[in-house]
Amino acid sequence: MFCDRCGTNLHELASFCPSCGKPVRVIPLMPVQSRIAGHIRLLGILWLALSAFRLLPGLFLISMVRHGNIMFLPPEVPFFVHGILRVVGSALLFSGVIGIIAGWGLLERQPWARMLAIVLGCFNLIDMPFGTGLGIYTLWVLLPGKSEAEYRQIARAA
């Protein structure tokens, strides 16, 4: 067996020509890993964790306002404060539930979860510091056009 480039006599088991260094056999390429494959699982777990931490104060505020036993407020607080606390508690509860749905959808590779996570990531940018960090990470992973094609392939495979 001889080298195609320089004509040197080659050993049977040689992978490269000892004279010119040309590969004798076809070397298999490394498998191409998608850009988002490693990030989707972490992103789903982070959405579940942050959303669970939002559920706790939401449930606390709603339960305290619903029963009327608001012990942490002084008695001279105006009545509309109770309504504000109810709205804030409901918003925290709603965003926690939607975030858990997005995290579960990402972990299950659901086709709709990418868009839901992008929308929630945009809203989370104003929630300092953890919401901002998760929003930036979500947008960095899921927003590019190449990520959309890769996520569709992952979602079809799941």
Side-chain angles (χ1 to χ4, degrees):
M1 186 157 89
F2 297 95
C3 176
D4 296 340
R5 184 181 293 164
C6 65
T8 304
N9 191 9
L10 299 174
H11 189 270
E12 270 185 49
L13 301 175
S15 297
F16 296 95
C17 175
S19 298
C20 66
K22 179 183 182 261
V24 176
R25 297 186 188 122
V26 177
I27 300 171
L29 297 174
M30 294 295 295
V32 178
Q33 185 172 356
S34 68
R35 178 176 121 36
I36 66 169
H39 296 285
I40 295 294
R41 179 173 160 80
L42 177 61
L43 204 53
I45 291 170
L46 289 174
W47 272 108
L48 288 174
L50 183 67
S51 300
F53 283 120
R54 283 192 182 140
L55 285 177
L56 297 175
L59 289 173
F60 175 75
L61 287 174
I62 288 178
S63 68
M64 293 304 278
V65 172
R66 185 169 289 169
H67 296 299
N69 300 331
I70 305 180
M71 296 179 188
F72 60 89
L73 291 177
E76 61 270 1
V77 171
F79 182 73
F80 67 88
V81 172
H82 300 285
I84 291 173
L85 290 177
R86 185 178 294 128
V87 168
V88 169
S90 299
L92 285 170
L93 197 62
F94 179 73
S95 68
V97 169
I98 296 296
I100 286 176
I101 291 170
W104 173 81
L106 287 172
L107 288 175
E108 294 292 321
R109 311 294 199 264
Q110 297 295 321
W112 48 265
R114 176 184 170 269
M115 189 54 63
L116 180 61
I118 289 172
V119 170
L120 289 178
C122 290
F123 284 121
N124 267 354
L125 291 175
I126 61 172
D127 182 20
M128 292 290 253
F130 300 113
T132 302
L134 183 58
I136 290 170
Y137 183 54
T138 300
L139 295 177
W140 177 76
V141 171
L142 296 177
L143 196 57
K146 187 176 179 183
S147 296
E148 178 182 8
E150 290 176 18
Y151 189 82
R152 283 185 181 168
Q153 288 177 346
I154 292 171
R156 276 191 224 129

